[in-house]
Amino acid sequence: MTAFTDFQISASLQKKIAMAKFVIPTPVQSAAIPPALEGKDVLATAQTGTGKTLSFLIPIIEHLQASQVKGATALVLLPTRELAMQVEQHYIKLNQTSNNQVALVVGGLSEGSQLQSIRRGARLIVATPGRLEDFLKRRLVALDKIEILVLDEVDRMLDMGFRPAIRRIVSAIPAKRQTLCYSATMESPITEVVGEYLTNPVRIEIGSVLKPSENVKLRTFEVTNERKMPLLEHLLRSETGSFLVFVRTKHGAERVAKKLCHAGWGATSIHGDRSQSQRIAALKSFSLGKHRVLVATDVAARGIDVAHIAHVVNYDMPKMAEDFVHRVGRTGRASCQGVASTFAAPEERNDLRKIERTLHISMERFRVKDAMIA
């Protein structure tokens, strides 16, 4: 499909897509939307930033518009609050000419307003597994009208221990439904989930599922731990644009952000110990350019979808090659160019080589001299 107008969808939805200024579908949208519109199950693997959200929202909106079942709804399950909020915003953007009947069901926000949205007849429920499972256990919600189930970033949900919650949620949904599943990898736990929940899915694979985007320039700096902060400040001085800095721990994120602020850089942080309102404020200030630097941990950053991040810095080495791909995938999106710099201590050389071997990549290497970052 070369344009959204090529899809077999209603005139009203075409109008909504045009008003939202979506013109040319991404590869995952071109591949996933047609079978999803036909009511088929879909299993898609694609890298971060490929437009997955629209590839399931368009079929959902079209199906719910045409459904003859009173109260027919769709459910999207995602691993983090931030991702759920982005899906909610995309849905609202596509439905700005009608009532925005979407319920956001996540931790950290008022239970009452979430339950009220569902009971008022929300057509779409966007949820994290923990909060929705809690509602089910307390018999506060019923999911017997769900006609489409979306499992987005299912690999990450399994990593975070949500498999029992997903199983309970799916058991409360009608067996006769359409299921759309998205994952960055197809390792054995994911294939087991696919076998449980999908029926003869259309298989879609967009590019390599475990490889950084070619739009990202990869480089690594061998640097001792005590010289990481001077090196980061050197990069901030010598390069333009926004910086997303990854660290391993919540304490580390707070420490790095505070040091940057004390040094006069506009920095904020996002991690598990920050409240939902603090996370929202940090993301907003970063996306609007009020803070040039966002310091984040892996789990918190999974939901970050900010356009035009110029530079990703792995301040702490990622534990796995998959985490490396997700981190650097925050830059170089939508045909833009980006830079990803990895800080590696001398004792981490073997870990760095292991990531390169796994991903079949070779990073440009720099050895830090004190004079360089003085």
Side-chain angles (χ1 to χ4, degrees), residues 212-218 310 328 331-340:
S213 166
E214 292 180 0
N215 294 336
V216 182
K217 180 181 180 182
L218 303 174
V328 304
T331 187
R333 306 178 81 160
S335 302
C336 295
Q337 298 299 307
V339 178

Side-chain angles (χ1 to χ4, degrees), residues 31-44 55-56 59 63 147-151 170 173-182 193-204:
I33 290 174
L37 288 171
E38 293 172 11
K40 296 176 181 176
D41 284 5
V42 171
L43 171 61
S55 77
F56 59 75
H63 176 87
E147 296 193 347
I148 300 180
L149 168 67
V150 177
L151 301 171
V170 175
I173 296 171
K176 187 180 179 182
R177 64 171 189 273
Q178 182 182 10
T179 305
L180 312 176
C181 182
Y182 296 80
V193 167
V194 169
E196 283 183 61
Y197 304 139
L198 280 78
T199 303
N200 299 321
V202 174
R203 182 76 173 89
I204 294 164

Side-chain angles (χ1 to χ4, degrees), residues 282-300:
L283 278 173
K284 186 175 182 181
S285 67
F286 180 62
S287 63
L288 293 175
K290 293 178 181 177
H291 286 98
R292 186 183 173 199
V293 186
L294 178 64
V295 186
T297 54
D298 282 304
V299 171

Side-chain angles (χ1 to χ4, degrees), residues 51-356:
K52 292 180 291 179
T53 302
L54 214 58
S55 77
F56 59 75
L57 283 183
I58 286 175
I60 284 174
I61 294 168
E62 182 74 359
H63 176 87
L64 294 178
Q65 282 181 170
S67 178
Q68 301 299 311
V69 178
K70 186 179 179 181
T73 54
L75 169 64
V76 180
L77 284 180
L78 310 102
T80 69
R81 287 174 287 192
E82 287 73 26
L83 276 171
M85 291 168 72
Q86 285 164 26
V87 171
E88 178 198 33
Q89 290 306 309
H90 271 80
Y91 182 81
I92 290 170
K93 187 177 181 180
L94 275 175
N95 283 275
Q96 53 191 305
T97 57
S98 64
N99 292 328
N100 297 314
Q101 296 179 324
V102 55
L104 182 68
V105 178
V106 297
L109 297 176
S110 163
E111 283 190 7
S113 61
Q114 295 177 27
L115 290 167
Q116 204 172 39
S117 295
I118 295 172
R119 290 165 183 166
R120 275 203 305 255
R123 304 299 304 278
L124 175 65
I125 300 171
V126 183
T128 50
R131 173 56 65 89
L132 186 57
E133 183 195 29
D134 178 56
F135 283 175
L136 279 173
K137 282 180 177 176
R138 291 154 61 195
R139 299 186 179 182
L140 297 173
V141 298
L143 302 177
D144 56 326
K145 300 291 187 182
I146 300 293
E147 296 193 347
I148 300 180
L149 168 67
V150 177
L151 301 171
D152 192 17
E153 303 225 8
V154 68
D155 53 324
R156 198 63 174 183
M157 288 197 283
L158 297 185
D159 286 346
M160 293 168 71
F162 283 134
R163 188 166 184 173
I166 293 170
R167 184 175 287 119
R168 176 172 167 78
I169 290 165
V170 175
S171 69
I173 296 171
K176 187 180 179 182
R177 64 171 189 273
Q178 182 182 10
T179 305
L180 312 176
C181 182
Y182 296 80
S183 178
T185 66
M186 277 307 297
E187 295 166 355
S188 55
I190 291 96
T191 57
E192 290 170 16
V193 167
V194 169
E196 283 183 61
Y197 304 139
L198 280 78
T199 303
N200 299 321
V202 174
R203 182 76 173 89
I204 294 164
E205 186 172 337
I206 305 299
S208 169
V209 296
L210 197 62
K211 189 176 180 182
S213 166
E214 292 180 0
N215 294 336
V216 182
K217 180 181 180 182
L218 303 174
R219 62 192 191 185
T220 180
F221 295 85
E222 185 170 295
V223 58
T224 58
N225 285 326
E226 63 269 16
R227 302 302 287 160
K228 284 182 178 181
M229 183 56 66
L231 174 58
L232 177 56
E233 288 194 66
H234 168 77
L235 294 178
L236 285 164
R237 282 192 299 270
S238 58
E239 302 187 12
T240 59
S242 57
F243 276 61
L244 175 56
V245 178
F246 284 97
V247 294
R248 195 168 291 137
T249 66
K250 294 178 280 191
H251 175 71
E254 202 64 29
R255 186 180 68 249
V256 170
K258 283 180 178 177
K259 283 186 177 181
L260 287 170
C261 287
H262 289 155
W265 301 103
T268 186
S269 63
I270 179 169
H271 53 76
D273 279 350
R274 301 206 79 185
S275 68
Q276 184 64 12
S277 60
Q278 287 174 320
R279 289 187 188 202
I280 293 168
L283 278 173
K284 186 175 182 181
S285 67
F286 180 62
S287 63
L288 293 175
K290 293 178 181 177
H291 286 98
R292 186 183 173 199
V293 186
L294 178 64
V295 186
T297 54
D298 282 304
V299 171
R302 185 65 177 230
I304 294 173
D305 186 16
V306 176
H308 312 309
I309 294 173
H311 204 133
V312 166
V313 175
N314 291 314
Y315 192 89
D316 293 329
M317 279 268 289
K319 290 182 180 178
M320 299 186 300
E322 183 185 342
D323 290 330
F324 180 89
V325 173
H326 285 301
R327 287 181 178 193
V328 304
R330 301 295 147 187
T331 187
R333 306 178 81 160
S335 302
C336 295
Q337 298 299 307
V339 178
S341 298
T342 298
F343 295 179
E347 62 270 20
E348 293 177 314
R349 286 175 191 162
N350 288 337
D351 295 330
L352 189 70
R353 290 193 191 103
K354 184 179 178 182
I355 287 174
E356 289 182 310

